[in-house]
Amino acid sequence: RYRDHLAWLDGTDRAASLDVWRTALAEVTEPSRVATGHGDRVLEPVRQEHRLSAADTTALAVAARRHGVTVNTLVQAAWAVVLRGLTGRDEALFGVTVAGRPAELEGAGDLVGLFINTVPLSVRLDAGEALGDLAVRLGREQSALLDHHHVALGDIQRALGMGELFDTLLSFENYPLDPAGITARARAAGLDLADARVRDGSHFAISVVVEPGERMRLRVRHQPQLVDEVTAQAAGAELLATLRAFASAPGLPLGRLARLEEDRLVAAAAT
C-alpha cells in the first residue's frame, strides 16, 4: 500500500542523502539555463518529434551493452553534449525524471500511485574524452545516486543554497506497454478501442521525452516565450545526431563530434 512507501520514506536518513547530493553537485556554482526570453506564465508548449531509424536504435542498444551501461545513460550523455553547445559551458546540468520506486521496498513496482521525482544530473564534459568513456563515467556516477532518488528537488536546491538549478528536463519513459494485449482485453470486455493518445505539458524551457522501441522516439517540447523555435529544433536535431555518434563512433573525442556530423552531411549530400 502507499502507506508502506510513506513509512519507508520516514525511515530514510534525509540528512545523509542530502550530503550525498551536496558531494555530487559540489562543482555546481551557478544554475544552468538555456532560456533567452522571459515570461512567468506557462504556455502550451510547442512540440516536435524525431525518430531514430530501426538500425540506429539497434546500434544504440548494442553500444550500451558493449559499454555496460543502459540506453538511458547514453541518452543522458548525449543531452549533456547538446547542452554544452547551447550554454557554452563544460558543465552540463539538467533535470531527469526518475521512477521513485525504491528497490529495497518489497512490492514497490506494484504500488498504485505517482512516485516519479525530478532530480539534478550534473555532467563534466572534456573535449578530449571519448564518447564511450563519457557514457561509462556517467553511468558510474549516476549509480552512486540511485539510493537517493527519493529526495525532493526543493530540498536539494535548498541544501545547495540555490533556487532553480536548471531549465531543461530529460525523461526516459521505459515502462512496459502492450497495445495488442490492451486491445484484446478491451474486445473481450465488449469494447472497441479506436485510439489512445497522451498529451502532456511542461513548464521547462526545453523538455525531452525519450520513448524506446523498435524505433526510438524523441518528443521535444519548449516554452515559446523562453526559447525560440529555431533553437529548439536545432537542439532536437543535434540530440538525434549525437545519439548516432554514440552508436557509430564511441571512440571519437567529444571535441571532434561537430566534424563527424559535418562529414556525415557531406556524404549524405554526395549520395
Side-chain angles (χ1 to χ4, degrees), residues 249-268:
L252 186 77
L254 174 59
R256 294 181 55 193
L257 189 57
R259 179 60 182 272
L260 177 69
E261 181 62 9
E262 290 174 4
D263 292 345
R264 189 189 70 81
L265 291 174
V266 169

Side-chain angles (χ1 to χ4, degrees), residues 165-223:
L165 291 174
F166 47 80
D167 64 358
T168 67
L169 177 73
L170 178 67
S171 177
F172 191 86
E173 294 191 346
N174 188 21
Y175 53 80
L177 184 63
D178 178 16
I182 294 173
T183 301
R185 287 192 294 272
R187 288 177 178 170
L191 302 173
D192 185 15
L193 181 61
D195 192 15
R197 301 182 185 183
V198 175
R199 188 172 180 85
D200 53 8
S202 171
H203 70 278
F204 289 95
I206 301 178
S207 60
V208 181
V209 177
V210 180
E211 297 178 3
E214 184 177 340
R215 293 185 60 192
M216 178 180 286
R217 182 167 71 153
L218 313 175
R219 292 192 283 119
V220 182
R221 300 163 295 185
H222 72 277
Q223 283 289 316

Side-chain angles (χ1 to χ4, degrees), residues 47-59:
R47 294 169 167 83
Q48 56 172 296
E49 184 176 308
H50 302 269
R51 279 186 182 271
L52 280 175
S53 68
D56 285 337
T57 301
T58 299

Side-chain angles (χ1 to χ4, degrees), residues 84 90 124-134 137 250-257:
R84 181 175 183 260
D90 289 330
R124 300 182 313 279
L125 297 166
D126 181 350
E129 186 174 31
L131 298 179
D133 292 340
L134 167 60
R137 175 169 60 82
L252 186 77
L254 174 59
R256 294 181 55 193
L257 189 57

